[in-house]
Amino acid sequence: MLPFYEIRKDELSVIRNLKEISFPPHMHGYLEILYVISGSQRIEVNDQTYDLQEGDAAMIFPEMVHRYQTTGLSSTSEVLIIVHPKLLGGLFPDLTRFHPKNPIISNPNVHEDVVIAFEKVKRDDDYAIKLGWTHIIIAHLLREIEFEQVQQLPVQDLSKKLMEYLATHFTEPITLDTLASEFNVSKYYISRIFSKRFKMNLRNYLSMLRVEYASMLIRTTDASLTTVWINAGFDSQRTFNRVFQAIYGMTPRDFKNNVSNYLK
């Protein structure tokens, strides 16, 4: 499955998970840092699978395809920090020009200050405090990373242009015809891209983007479910419930009622 382009609401997020997480292949323009306090977490980065154990960390650079998978082997406690590169203030390398050869920093190489920072940082902290802890974490972890330069393509592939366009317009009414007009190509050509590259049709791709955005609204706001499905771009609550159930394995209401069981 080609990844979808994830929509981020905040420039800096701190998430504490109390169990392994599962999330489909995606990419975004943020730096994502995972630290496993206890238990384990399986992640896939650029088609390579890694099993993180207690004390391990991972740094996923902007525009790197990644996914989270569950192993079911143990209970897990982990911290996830997602930060926009512009908040790094030029203190670190250009994360869009370089990628890590190996995104994993194993337990023995995680500095004790990083461990303390992950223990201290909280979602409800003052913004400046969260950013300060994040800078400490990044400064130490980058020392353990071996970089490779990202090859810049002279012409951007249309499939990536489609991903980026849909990432910002998915809440609008979108059809093959509107995309064909936007990119000045045949709608049948657009359809073939979705079929051959995305391995799904436009409707299903839009549903995936809208459900991901809806789940973010449920996790981070007190909005009613009616407000959520309207803002996410669904045309009816029935469609919203059906698609959400298919992707998350539970109804939106069950998700809303239980999200606090694995986030704090």
Side-chain angles (χ1 to χ4, degrees), residues 3-7 23-27 162-171 174 194 198 200 202-216 232-234 243 247-248:
F4 69 91
Y5 208 91
E6 186 186 11
I7 311 301
F23 203 74
H26 62 289
M27 60 193 295
L162 284 168
M163 286 170 54
E164 293 174 344
Y165 179 83
L166 293 173
T168 56
H169 297 276
F170 67 94
T171 60
I174 293 177
F194 276 93
F198 288 36
M200 66 178 71
L202 172 61
R203 182 185 60 194
N204 289 341
Y205 190 84
L206 284 171
S207 293
M208 187 169 61
L209 287 176
R210 289 165 178 167
V211 163
E212 190 278 325
Y213 183 66
S215 72
M216 184 274 291
F234 286 96
V243 174
I247 293 178
Y248 277 90

Side-chain angles (χ1 to χ4, degrees), residues 2 7 23 27 50 73 134 187 189 201 215 222 226 261:
L2 196 74
I7 311 301
F23 203 74
M27 60 193 295
Y50 306 92
L73 298 178
T134 300
K187 71 176 182 179
Y189 183 55
N201 59 33
S215 72
D222 294 324
T226 299
N261 291 339

Side-chain angles (χ1 to χ4, degrees), residues 112-151:
E112 60 182 349
D113 288 349
V114 172
V115 178
I116 293 172
F118 273 117
E119 290 175 349
K120 295 289 188 180
V121 67
K122 295 179 178 61
R123 181 176 58 183
D124 297 329
D125 279 341
D126 178 82
Y127 187 85
I129 293 175
K130 282 193 296 188
L131 186 58
W133 287 123
T134 300
H135 277 188
I136 290 172
I137 290 167
I138 294 173
H140 282 293
L141 291 183
L142 284 180
R143 295 179 180 178
E144 307 298 329
I145 293 288
E146 184 179 358
F147 299 101
E148 58 184 1
Q149 191 162 0
V150 177
Q151 184 178 5

